[in-house]
Amino acid sequence: MGQVRVQMTSWRRTAAAVVLVGAMLVGVSGVIAPNPVHAAGEQVMLKDTISVSGTGEIEVTPDVAYVDIAVETRANTAAEAQQKNAAAFDKVKQVLTQKYGVQDKDLKTTNFSVDPVYKYAENTEPKVVAYQAQHAVRVTYRDLARLGSLVDAATSAGANRIMQINYDTEKRSDYETQVLEKAVQHATKKAQALAKAANREAGMAITIVESGADWTPVRIMSEQMKVADSASNSVSSPQGGLVKLRSQVQVQFQMK
């Protein structure tokens, strides 16, 4: 019986020690725990900021055109259609390179194909009646004043499809800088207006994030172009208009 009492006494001492250590740990963790004042401080900082968006946009005169043209030929066999197409395309290329100074690097093939042409009739299997070859290229041209003449010359040489013309700028990176500056200026004016309405002042920008940028080249489809009239000796006159560049930013300002 005495032995049992000793063991119980030992157990009680151990339990008391555990309770004491736990209390000490709670005290230490209470010292290490983050002070809630910091969280309150962050909330105050958010109250003293303004978040706005800004948009910048400019329109610039295009300095390059991308002309999509094609030579299409038909023949009884695939080989004959391809040979006719090669001969016709060579004439078009000579006009573009020799008369208008288009370099080889500015001629990019976008499609080359030879396909059967079928005739369909009711209750019968489709029948191959011919083969059609197509060689389509994108022409990069920078002398925009002669663009209409180039299109007419290519057509006369054998380009029987003028799909579209895209007017664009090769200085987009330079213009994007200007657009971004306008976007930040726009955001600054909005922040100043909001702060003034609240009897405050807009301070320095804390963060600036570009949230979107795009540009809109001018696209002219073939049916939109004024086609050359051989009887009046007029030339095609595609109009490029202006290329639009646009950018958006999100800016956060301090409030004084």
Side-chain angles (χ1 to χ4, degrees), residues 39-101:
E42 291 177 358
Q43 293 178 359
V44 172
M45 182 178 293
L46 290 176
K47 290 180 181 179
D48 286 335
T49 62
I50 308 175
S51 296
V52 294
S53 63
T55 302
E57 183 174 326
I58 61 174
E59 295 181 333
V60 299
T61 302
D63 50 50
V64 66
Y66 304 102
V67 188
D68 292 325
I69 65 176
V71 175
E72 291 183 348
T73 53
R74 281 194 182 191
N76 293 328
T77 66
E80 186 181 357
Q82 185 175 346
Q83 290 172 1
K84 291 175 63 175
N85 189 278
F89 180 79
D90 187 60
K91 292 180 181 179
V92 174
K93 182 178 179 180
Q94 286 184 24
V95 169
L96 294 175
T97 57
Q98 296 179 12
K99 185 175 181 179
Y100 290 91

Side-chain angles (χ1 to χ4, degrees), residues 2-253:
Q3 184 178 359
V4 172
R5 289 176 181 175
V6 171
Q7 290 177 347
M8 291 180 63
T9 303
S10 175
W11 177 86
R12 288 173 182 172
R13 290 175 180 176
T14 303
V18 170
V19 172
L20 179 60
V21 170
M24 292 176 64
L25 288 175
V26 170
V28 172
S29 63
V31 174
I32 298 176
N35 193 330
V37 174
H38 294 299
E42 291 177 358
Q43 293 178 359
V44 172
M45 182 178 293
L46 290 176
K47 290 180 181 179
D48 286 335
T49 62
I50 308 175
S51 296
V52 294
S53 63
T55 302
E57 183 174 326
I58 61 174
E59 295 181 333
V60 299
T61 302
D63 50 50
V64 66
Y66 304 102
V67 188
D68 292 325
I69 65 176
V71 175
E72 291 183 348
T73 53
R74 281 194 182 191
N76 293 328
T77 66
E80 186 181 357
Q82 185 175 346
Q83 290 172 1
K84 291 175 63 175
N85 189 278
F89 180 79
D90 187 60
K91 292 180 181 179
V92 174
K93 182 178 179 180
Q94 286 184 24
V95 169
L96 294 175
T97 57
Q98 296 179 12
K99 185 175 181 179
Y100 290 91
V102 177
Q103 300 180 29
D104 287 341
K105 67 181 182 66
D106 292 328
L107 281 173
K108 179 182 179 181
T109 296
T110 56
N111 182 64
F112 185 84
S113 60
V114 180
D115 300 302
V117 179
Y118 293 95
K119 180 180 180 181
Y120 297 91
E122 191 175 356
N123 299 325
T124 61
E125 291 291 333
K127 182 181 179 181
V128 177
V129 295
Y131 289 86
Q132 178 172 292
Q134 185 193 79
H135 190 172
V137 294
R138 168 162 286 192
V139 183
T140 301
Y141 197 61
R142 298 172 181 83
D143 188 358
L144 301 186
R146 302 181 66 199
L147 182 60
S149 175
L150 176 144
V151 171
D152 293 339
T155 302
S156 298
N160 44 17
R161 286 201 64 190
I162 309 295
M163 282 86 78
Q164 65 181 10
I165 298 175
N166 286 311
Y167 286 89
D168 206 342
T169 176
E170 293 183 308
K171 303 175 183 177
R172 190 162 61 238
S173 59
D174 296 335
Y175 292 129
E176 282 178 350
T177 302
Q178 298 178 30
V179 173
L180 287 171
E181 290 176 355
K182 285 180 173 290
V184 174
Q185 291 171 2
H186 181 223
T188 302
K189 289 181 179 179
K190 290 173 66 175
Q192 291 171 344
L194 289 171
K196 183 178 180 181
N199 295 319
R200 303 282 294 274
E201 292 182 5
M204 64 179 294
I206 303 173
T207 60
I208 303 176
V209 179
E210 182 182 5
S211 56
D214 59 77
W215 72 96
T216 307
V218 181
R219 175 174 298 176
I220 302 176
M221 306 305 291
S222 58
E223 59 269 17
Q224 297 175 287
M225 289 188 292
K226 178 183 176 182
V227 182
D229 183 356
S230 57
S232 61
N233 294 323
S234 62
V235 297
S236 297
S237 55
Q239 303 299 309
L242 297 174
V243 178
K244 295 180 180 179
L245 294 95
R246 188 171 182 269
S247 182
Q248 287 185 320
V249 295
Q250 303 291 331
V251 187
Q252 187 178 60
F253 292 87

